[in-house]
Amino acid sequence: MNICISKGRVIDPANGLDKVTNIYISKGQIVAVGRKPPGFEVKKQINVKGQIVIPGLVDLSARIREPGEHCKANIASETRAAAIAGITTLCCPPDTTPVIDTPAVIELIHQRADQSGQAKVVCLGALTHGLQGQRLAEMYSLKEAGCVGVSNAMQAIPDTEVMSRAMEYAVTCDLTVFLQPEDPWLGGGHMHEGAYSTRMGIPPIPETAETVALARDLLLIEATGVRAHFMRLSTARSIEMIRDARKRGLPVTADVSIHQLHFTDKDTENYNSLCHVKPPFRHHSDKEQLIAGVKDGTITAICSDHQPHDHDAKTAPFSMTEPGVSALEVMLPLAIRLADDGQIGLKTIIKTMTVAPAGILGLEAGSLTPGSAADLCIFDPEKNWMVTEKNLVSEGKNTPTLGWEMKGKVTHTILNGRIVYKQ
Amino acid sequence: MITAEKLPENIQVNKKGRLKHFLTTEGLSRQLLTEILDTAENFAGVGERAVKKVPLLRGKTIANLFFEPSTRTRTTFELAAKRLSADVLNINIESSATKKGESLQDTLQTLESMHCDMFVVRHANSGAAHFIASMVSPGIRVINAGDGRHAHPTQAMLDAFTIRRHRGRFSGLKIAIVGDIMHSRVARSEIHAFNTLGVKELRVIAPKTLIPAYMQALGVKVFHDLEAGLRGVDAVIMLRLQNERMQGTLLPSADEFFKMYGLTEERLAHADPEVMVLHPGPINRGVEIDSEVADGPRSVILEQVSYGIAIRMAVMSMCMGSAE
């Protein structure tokens, strides 16, 4: 169907565009931005005056809990939540059950996502077999099956030789490795090491749990020449290290979860298990540096790091609860909040959630370039809404933003030219 | 310096500022802590009478929920409850429900339906007592008998009680806590209690491996040298060193720990001549403390145990006596 989205403020960082204009869509693709192409017959006109039109969001990391953890969520529920949140592509890490270390699991996830038809789902394959950090996964076969990168997810690879060989093999397969740096021995605690952890008596996670692993991995990246992406960085020192590495020309990118830009270890006081995350919310000065890193481009992308949990998983004494935040539906509003507070420019922040993560995943997505798939997110930047368990469509209600008044609500999500969500 | 601010809300007190739950010494006023000590003073004589009971909690049921093994603390809580004429239920949860996969929430609901009025809780995880207090129905009271590394408030109060009995005050006193500060809920509760009660100086003495990060933010001076740390102190609180921590990445051996941090008469000579030696027990002779000191004239270790009952009677009666 031929659609014209008219009178919206179109922000497309990939093409340096920010103006009020029209977008023309036909056969699932964007055919023009601005002038109506000759002979284009508008079948459906969507007037979005006062709203902002951006490329559909690309989320670098969302656990959709399928296969393996149906009690927490499933592909249908989470892709629906994604559609409501304006996310048109999401990337699923390999720590499902079974692990994404065989083509069959990738096929299953793709199939279920297609059936649901709410969002595109891509997968990271396992870097080591079973994520056990001992022998290499069949990366070539995984790539053939469609994985967009390889990762050991939150499982560390303590054996340095295994890590080095895995990187070399990834180079051979021309795959990007996605690394979440954590030293397994230093990282055994449950919250940031600081005055709050000492006061609360929670076993701490020092910043060195991240930086020691990051330093090792950077040296191995330099030695092997692998293309690498660092996931979920949390400390100020890590940002400095990435900045230095990029200055020296290392092929590395990095992301941060949207929550790390809003929360600190102080929010964990009173043992709020909704703030139990890994890596942990760190000190205020770390948060400031993460924001600075997004601003200057050291951090290339922001992701939701969506980890839906069932009620029981978060109902226990702090250390016994499972880490993670349900985040799909609050990602965009939290990003808008950073822009509204003047911390990061709106265009920059949209870039970190569209074209930048698409680039990291090697996908032709995240832009409104004519000829590309018509994946769009349209939101009303002035519309307020309240985060409540009832308002969240994701099966996971575990967010520390419960009760927050959010500004910015998605009104339309368009996937391959099809309206998958309309408010 | 990085400092942590006060906890934002205090679920321990009711709207009138009366003690409702006793979860931590942190965030309670000097007035309230003093009231606990004064109330305990009234109960201190009960154990010496021929009839060792007062009828304050007659008809009430108190459940000791121990998710972690304990003999000493559980026994004193049980005695305290019985001396207040309450019915006591001892539930060793480590070996029952949770092993069968029951969630903590379900265990609590089951016990609530048996109409318990108070839970005395010990748990291996920090924050467990807060969690339980936030889960129970409004009429039920919770007392923390030790949660992870976080708090053991009745132990801290009985130490404060012991010191006050001997010195009559807290102002001007210098107190040192020696040993495994990192894992100690006793140390954390003592630090908050003594600072609130107005001691002059609090010190912690331990190797760097047993001192958590940003310790100073809690209002203490950190020493790694025992003799320097003991200089001029009015009370020394020795902490028990757990067996599993004596050899490994925290300490090379128990012998070496004793060499560096063991309390001997010779070292005690650096403290004030009237110094009191406390220990929450059970003591490891020859690991953290020399027998000569433990059994010597400066030791008040056995007094502590009997005062522990009075303190527990005090907080139980105060919590039960407060309105919602």
Side-chain angles (χ1 to χ4, degrees):
Chain A
M1 185 166 54
N2 287 359
I3 303 175
C4 171
I5 295 162
S6 62
K7 295 181 184 155
R9 175 183 167 195
V10 178
I11 303 179
D12 179 16
N15 292 298
L17 190 70
D18 181 359
K19 66 172 181 185
V20 175
T21 187
N22 299 343
I23 296 177
Y24 298 91
I25 295 168
S26 178
K27 292 179 187 149
Q29 289 188 339
I30 292 171
V31 290
V33 178
R35 256 169 197 277
K36 189 166 82 162
F40 188 93
E41 209 175 300
V42 177
K43 285 274 160 61
K44 187 178 173 74
Q45 177 107 8
I46 305 172
N47 185 330
V48 291
K49 195 171 174 210
Q51 299 186 30
I52 297 180
V53 183
I54 59 175
L57 302 178
V58 178
D59 188 0
L60 273 183
S61 183
R63 261 83 181 175
I64 48 182
R65 305 298 190 197
E66 194 178 346
E69 289 187 284
H70 291 264
C71 66
K72 294 191 188 295
N74 57 68
I75 291 175
S77 68
E78 301 317 286
T79 51
R80 182 65 194 149
I84 287 161
I87 298 164
T88 49
T89 302
L90 50 85
C91 179
C92 167
D95 50 357
T96 46
T97 315
V99 166
I100 307 181
D101 59 2
T102 59
V105 183
I106 296 181
E107 282 156 23
L108 173 93
I109 291 171
H110 285 168
Q111 230 173 47
R112 295 270 162 90
D114 285 349
Q115 276 166 12
S116 149
Q118 299 289 310
K120 297 171 185 171
V121 177
V122 294
C123 299
L124 293 179
L127 189 58
T128 63
H129 180 79
L131 303 179
Q132 286 175 351
Q134 286 162 356
R135 63 187 174 92
L136 304 184
E138 292 174 327
M139 297 181 213
Y140 180 75
S141 309
L142 293 169
K143 189 182 178 186
E144 270 190 326
C147 83
V148 293
V150 278
S151 174
N152 228 50
M154 289 165 88
Q155 301 295 317
I157 300 181
D159 186 323
T160 314
E161 194 199 353
V162 173
M163 181 60 107
S164 172
R165 299 295 179 212
M167 286 179 178
E168 288 175 343
Y169 198 75
V171 171
T172 313
C173 298
D174 191 24
L175 281 163
T176 305
V177 295
F178 288 67
L179 304 168
Q180 183 161 339
E182 188 193 69
D183 180 282
W185 296 284
L186 291 172
H190 299 281
M191 71 177 278
H192 172 60
E193 180 176 76
Y196 287 102
S197 66
T198 291
R199 168 175 291 238
M200 292 163 65
I202 297 285
I205 305 175
E207 90 170 16
T208 48
E210 181 167 300
T211 50
V212 166
L214 180 58
R216 179 196 75 159
D217 292 351
L218 282 170
L219 291 169
L220 294 175
I221 289 162
E222 191 163 5
T224 59
V226 73
R227 200 165 58 237
H229 174 74
F230 285 101
M231 316 187 283
R232 318 308 103 78
L233 296 183
S234 69
T235 78
R237 189 83 182 80
S238 302
I239 306 311
E240 273 176 43
M241 291 163 76
I242 295 286
R243 201 174 277 135
D244 286 351
R246 285 168 68 106
K247 229 178 252 168
R248 289 191 300 117
L250 256 61
V252 294
T253 50
D255 76 57
V256 65
S257 86
I258 187 72
H259 287 88
Q260 292 283 1
L261 306 179
H262 287 274
F263 292 88
T264 64
D265 61 342
K266 185 177 188 303
D267 296 298
T268 314
E269 69 182 343
N270 264 5
Y271 301 98
N272 182 0
S273 66
L274 295 175
C275 286
H276 184 193
V277 290
K278 256 193 151 185
F281 294 142
R282 295 201 182 267
H283 190 254
H284 182 72
S285 57
D286 291 299
K287 188 184 89 170
E288 300 278 285
Q289 284 310 306
L290 294 180
I291 291 173
V294 173
K295 267 167 114 168
D296 73 11
T298 306
I299 296 177
T300 336
I302 296 173
C303 71
S304 74
D305 194 19
H306 178 65
Q307 296 180 42
H309 282 297
D310 53 309
H311 181 74
D312 279 1
K314 286 288 187 186
T315 312
F318 190 86
S319 303
M320 295 171 79
T321 57
E322 292 180 51
V325 167
S326 175
L328 291 174
E329 290 155 272
V330 294
M331 179 162 81
L332 181 61
L334 285 177
I336 292 170
R337 182 178 284 228
L338 288 170
D340 281 350
D341 292 350
Q343 308 227 52
I344 304 173
L346 185 61
K347 219 192 276 182
T348 303
I349 211 152
I350 289 170
K351 184 179 174 189
T352 62
M353 301 193 302
T354 54
V355 68
I360 291 163
L361 296 170
L363 300 174
E364 296 276 337
S367 84
L368 302 176
T369 310
S372 58
D375 295 346
L376 290 93
C377 161
I378 304 168
F379 66 94
D380 182 343
E382 300 300 328
K383 170 112 180 153
N384 287 4
W385 63 286
M386 176 85 87
V387 184
T388 62
E389 293 202 11
K390 225 174 130 195
N391 284 348
L392 294 176
V393 168
S394 164
E395 291 283 314
K397 314 297 180 190
N398 50 301
T399 162
T401 62
L402 283 176
W404 286 27
E405 177 97 28
M406 294 290 189
K407 202 171 147 206
K409 180 85 189 71
V410 173
T411 59
H412 300 78
T413 303
I414 297 172
L415 183 73
N416 289 332
R418 188 167 55 86
I419 299 168
V420 287
Y421 171 69
K422 182 172 181 301
Q423 197 190 20
Chain B
M1 191 176 71
I2 297 162
T3 54
E5 290 155 37
K6 280 269 172 284
L7 293 166
E9 54 179 287
N10 201 333
I11 60 168
Q12 300 192 89
V13 292
N14 69 8
K15 285 192 188 108
K16 289 183 177 161
R18 313 292 304 163
L19 195 66
K20 211 170 102 181
H21 305 295
F22 193 43
L23 311 175
T24 167
T25 51
E26 186 180 4
L28 296 179
S29 65
R30 183 186 293 196
Q31 192 190 348
L32 203 50
L33 295 185
T34 306
E35 190 189 335
I36 294 173
L37 297 177
D38 292 344
T39 310
E41 200 67 58
N42 293 331
F43 287 126
V46 174
E48 284 144 32
R49 296 190 205 152
V51 178
K52 298 184 177 60
K53 274 202 185 203
V54 287
L56 277 174
L57 299 186
R58 183 183 289 156
K60 301 287 184 189
T61 306
I62 296 176
N64 282 329
L65 305 185
F66 279 63
F67 296 86
E68 198 184 62
S70 155
T71 315
R72 175 179 297 244
T73 303
R74 208 210 60 213
T75 313
T76 54
F77 267 108
E78 187 177 348
L79 262 177
K82 286 182 170 163
R83 285 188 185 163
L84 291 166
S85 308
D87 295 319
V88 184
L89 216 60
N90 282 315
I91 303 166
N92 186 357
I93 300 189
E94 177 126 70
S95 58
S96 70
T98 48
K99 284 253 163 90
K100 294 175 194 154
E102 185 178 65
S103 80
L104 182 48
Q105 194 178 3
D106 290 333
T107 306
L108 289 175
Q109 280 172 355
T110 308
L111 287 165
E112 270 194 29
S113 58
M114 295 177 192
H115 303 293
C116 291
D117 301 288
M118 174 180 276
F119 293 141
V120 175
V121 183
R122 168 165 289 193
H123 198 285
N125 278 276
S126 301
H130 277 81
F131 172 76
I132 290 169
S134 70
M135 297 286 299
V136 295
S137 308
I140 294 176
R141 301 293 185 253
V142 177
I143 291 178
N144 186 1
D147 63 327
R149 306 176 182 182
H150 172 236
H152 193 352
T154 57
Q155 179 69 44
M157 291 312 293
L158 78 87
D159 290 347
F161 186 82
T162 310
I163 290 170
R164 195 178 77 162
R165 273 223 152 179
H166 283 258
R167 289 298 172 95
R169 64 191 160 83
F170 295 101
S171 61
L173 296 187
K174 291 182 190 168
I175 299 175
I177 307 172
V178 186
D180 184 359
I181 309 295
M182 165 107 72
H183 301 95
S184 179
R185 50 195 171 211
V186 175
R188 284 176 174 82
S189 282
E190 281 169 342
I191 290 166
H192 295 305
F194 289 135
N195 276 332
T196 304
L197 289 167
V199 299
K200 185 178 178 201
E201 188 178 312
L202 262 182
R203 302 174 182 174
V204 295
I205 309 171
K208 198 163 163 54
T209 47
L210 294 177
I211 304 257
Y214 304 100
M215 193 65 210
Q216 290 86 343
L218 267 61
V220 295
K221 283 191 178 169
V222 176
F223 289 80
H224 299 310
D225 181 87
L226 180 62
E227 287 175 12
L230 288 180
R231 207 152 291 148
V233 298
D234 300 282
V236 193
I237 301 169
M238 302 301 295
L239 299 175
R240 175 180 167 79
L241 186 66
Q242 303 283 348
N243 277 322
E244 66 269 23
R245 303 200 174 113
M246 288 181 199
Q247 290 173 319
T249 55
L250 297 171
L251 294 171
S253 70
D255 280 354
E256 181 149 313
F257 183 76
F258 186 72
K259 245 189 231 171
M260 293 174 79
Y261 296 97
L263 191 63
T264 59
E265 284 291 352
E266 198 188 347
R267 282 173 166 155
L268 199 56
H270 290 85
D272 183 88
E274 298 289 305
V275 68
M276 307 163 58
V277 176
L278 296 90
H279 193 303
I283 59 175
N284 287 315
R285 291 168 190 266
V287 176
E288 68 256 350
I289 191 165
D290 197 38
S291 282
E292 210 186 342
V293 176
D295 305 328
R298 313 288 357 132
S299 164
V300 292
I301 296 171
L302 290 175
E303 263 178 69
Q304 286 176 269
V305 181
S306 67
Y307 294 156
I309 300 167
I311 282 289
R312 281 153 192 151
M313 288 170 79
V315 293
M316 281 175 165
S317 61
M318 284 170 69
C319 289
M320 286 293 237
S322 67
E324 204 43 50

